[in-house]
Amino acid sequence: MLAELKLIAEPWDLGPGGYQLGNFPAPFAQWNDRFRDGVRRAWRGEVLGEANFGSLLLGSADLFDDSGRTTLAGVNFISAHDGFTLRDTVSYAQKHNEANGEENRDGHGENYSDNHGVEGPTDDPEIVAARSLRVRAMLATLLLAQGVPMLLAGDELGNSQSGNNNAYAQDNELGWIDWSEPDWELISYVRQLIDVRRRLPLLRQRGFLHGKVRADGFKDVRWLCPGGSAPTAEHWKDPAFRSLALQLRGCAQDPRGEELTGSVLIIFNFGDHCDFALPAEGEAQWKIELDSAEPEHSADAVDAVTESYAAKAHSVVVLSTGL
């Protein structure tokens, strides 16, 4: 009866030694809460190396790449049934669980969240715009990472729980998903992200990418600084290092990966506007697949660029070539 089922572990429990992320054998998949925390930390401005951002984007090989497991062993998420919703992650710096009757003592105290200067809802257009940029960037990070993405119901609508990060106790409007006034622009953007992931198999490989050389002579993955050089260990430790790109090809020494052609470039710009030099791909041009800062423009995905791309502040950009 169990042979054909997908087995997914939520790998933590009470008591000493209860946290067992990475220790469930195949064929178990495991909820990767380190992905959630690391992505939130990176986008709220923390040092990328300390957030382990590079490993998280490539499927958390440090947790799952052993015993014959694949990237499918890790279930990535940025919000789940407990904790802040995605909207609340960019709207509240503190939990607000007073309605739960435990004097706000319940629920996690550290949510790696950021209210952008105002706690809770606001009509300030600059704050609203900044929060929307952050939401789109984090959703892109989730859908573009290697591994299995998990999207919390309601995050695609902009659902809020008013800062309550332990709403299991609430069977009312506080914990329900509000379907009455969905964020239609956000819904359209999530559809774009899902479509990009579906169309580009390089974004959902089963083999872990370690920078090995493929049969065609290219490395299966490499990180790039805006000028085109590779980041050093010191870059990852530098708080000022806020812009980088990830170039993906099919997994080396893996029959399924070696069959994949072309390349995908993902630009992560955590800082201000930045011009990125694009890797030369012979006569092939880079095609814009998605820009989280301009989702309405990237829906057409017809523009081609050759030498550089101007990444807007706090954005994620996907380009492809040779596919």
Side-chain angles (χ1 to χ4, degrees):
M1 292 178 64
L2 298 177
E4 300 302 321
L5 297 182
K6 291 182 172 63
L7 303 175
I8 303 175
E10 188 177 354
W12 54 91
D13 204 345
L14 295 174
Y19 185 68
Q20 291 293 324
L21 178 62
N23 293 333
F24 284 74
F28 270 100
Q30 302 166 61
W31 278 23
N32 187 358
D33 62 327
R34 293 187 188 175
F35 183 94
R36 174 198 63 198
D37 295 348
V39 169
R40 290 186 181 190
R41 291 175 63 190
W43 280 108
R44 78 171 185 175
E46 296 189 32
V47 176
L48 297 181
E50 293 180 1
N52 203 26
F53 186 75
S55 176
L56 299 177
L57 262 291
L58 295 178
S60 298
D62 52 331
L63 293 172
F64 304 119
D65 188 11
D66 58 37
S67 304
R69 292 182 294 185
T70 70
T71 60
L72 301 184
V75 177
N76 300 324
F77 63 98
I78 44 179
S79 48
H81 64 274
D82 57 359
F84 278 161
T85 67
L86 180 56
R87 179 63 62 182
D88 287 354
T89 299
V90 301
S91 303
Y92 294 90
Q94 306 293 332
K95 62 180 180 176
H96 294 271
N97 297 356
E98 291 81 4
N100 296 349
E102 298 184 36
E103 300 181 353
N104 205 32
R105 293 191 300 266
D106 62 316
H108 287 293
E110 177 53 88
N111 297 277
Y112 301 110
S113 59
D114 177 14
N115 64 15
H116 290 79
V118 173
E119 189 76 349
T122 179
D123 293 327
D124 186 311
E126 292 187 3
I127 294 177
V128 170
R131 289 176 176 177
S132 294
L133 271 176
R134 181 79 58 83
V135 163
R136 293 198 299 270
M138 288 199 290
L139 284 169
T141 306
L142 172 65
L143 269 296
L144 299 174
Q146 302 294 315
V148 180
M150 182 179 79
L151 183 65
L152 175 66
D155 276 355
E156 79 283 10
L157 310 174
N159 191 60
S160 171
Q161 293 177 169
S162 300
N164 192 312
N165 76 350
N166 203 27
Y168 82 97
Q170 303 294 330
D171 186 11
N172 50 43
E173 288 84 355
L174 184 64
W176 297 341
I177 297 175
D178 183 5
W179 301 94
S180 63
E181 296 182 356
D183 185 336
W184 288 109
E185 291 184 358
L186 183 59
I187 291 173
S188 176
Y189 173 71
V190 172
R191 286 173 174 158
Q192 286 185 55
L193 279 172
I194 293 173
D195 179 63
V196 169
R197 184 178 179 90
R198 178 189 60 81
R199 289 189 294 101
L200 305 180
L202 292 174
L203 298 175
R204 44 185 171 82
Q205 302 187 59
R206 295 195 176 193
F208 287 96
L209 305 171
H210 290 293
K212 295 180 180 178
V213 178
R214 290 164 40 87
D216 58 14
F218 292 106
K219 289 185 177 181
D220 55 16
V221 62
R222 60 175 180 160
W223 292 94
L224 298 167
C225 294
S229 62
T232 65
E234 294 306 313
H235 279 102
W236 290 97
K237 300 174 184 177
D238 185 355
F241 183 54
R242 306 303 299 158
S243 304
L244 73 166
L246 173 65
Q247 186 175 15
L248 301 170
R249 299 184 192 273
C251 183
Q253 303 171 27
D254 180 330
R256 291 169 299 191
E258 292 284 1
E259 291 177 356
L260 298 177
T261 60
S263 177
V264 168
L265 187 73
I266 310 172
I267 298 171
F268 295 95
N269 188 18
F270 299 92
D272 297 328
H273 174 100
C274 183
D275 290 325
F276 272 83
L278 302 181
E281 292 289 310
E283 296 182 358
Q285 290 185 317
W286 288 100
K287 174 185 176 185
I288 304 170
E289 298 283 357
L290 181 136
D291 186 332
S292 69
E294 293 186 337
E296 68 286 345
H297 170 75
S298 56
D300 296 331
V302 295
D303 295 339
V305 289
T306 53
E307 296 183 356
S308 65
Y309 188 86
K312 296 174 178 59
H314 312 297
S315 68
V316 180
V317 181
V318 185
L319 303 101
S320 68
T321 185
L323 302 179

